[in-house]
Amino acid sequence: MIAENLAILRQKIEETCKKAGRNSADIRIIAVSKYFGVDSILEAKKCGLTDFGENRAQELVLKFERLQNEVIWHFIGTLQKNKVKYVVNSAELIHSVDSVELVEEINKRAEKIEKVQKILLEIKTSGEETKSGLETEIEILNLVKKCSELKNIKLTGLMTMAPLTDDVNIIRKSFRDLRNLKNKINNKGYNLTELSMGMTSDFEIAIEEGATMIRIGSAIFGDRDYSKDWRQI
Ligand SMILES: *Cc1c(COP(=O)(O)O)cnc(C)c1O
């Protein structure tokens, strides 16, 4: 099933890129494997996927113990300070950084294992209370500056989640806002390259608006079974 799902997904990506005048080689698929076991991850790897995203530190740790660096790990969920060390130990890129406190802890933990941790800042473009992320421009610019001062942090871009709505214009605006913000930051002398935006329901719009990483779960693995005990993976 994963192979077929992926064939469909890749075709949609190709078509969208063609329409948008983009090269699909510039878009990395982050396969969001939360709630799916290592067997599914290995099957997806056989189909050519290299990058996998998890949103809970404990689940990432468990899968990392099994697979180590057989795949590239991304952390995309809300990060608690006391879990930072586990995530730094396993993730190539942390997409969901949204506070000075977190950045400092990541820097500290990365320094301990002599790693330069790549991160993205999570931006709340939706205005939704339930979503995390930075909102005000001052706050964002301060954090960008802070990152540039820390030796074991490499800030490479921004991440967002679009609001939960069927209104395509609202979703598009959220992605466009993220792109504009990246440009604004780069105009101040920084060099952010990544835009992590777009999921199963809205990746086409995200690609049109400049996504360099799309985070896709159900379109690859199928529907998640939230009643399943994830420790049984
Ligand atoms: C679960 C999740 C995704 C993927 O969601 P799908 O709708 O299954 O593609 C993407 N980003 C984040 C932050 C997630 O938690």
Side-chain angles (χ1 to χ4, degrees), residues 32 34 55 76 159 161 199-201 215-219 224:
V32 178
K34 64 191 187 197
N55 72 334
I76 62 174
M159 179 272 224
M161 288 176 88
M199 322 190 345
T200 293
S201 59
R215 307 179 308 269
I216 310 290
S218 34
R224 283 179 288 274

Side-chain angles (χ1 to χ4, degrees), residues 30-35 53-55 76-78 95-96 122 159-161 196 198-203 214-220 222 224 226:
I30 314 299
V32 178
S33 43
K34 64 191 187 197
Y35 289 92
E54 292 289 335
N55 72 334
I76 62 174
T78 308
H95 293 228
S96 42
E122 180 170 357
M159 179 272 224
T160 201
M161 288 176 88
S196 168
M199 322 190 345
T200 293
S201 59
D202 53 21
F203 70 86
I214 53 176
R215 307 179 308 269
I216 310 290
S218 34
I220 296 171
R224 283 179 288 274
Y226 291 108

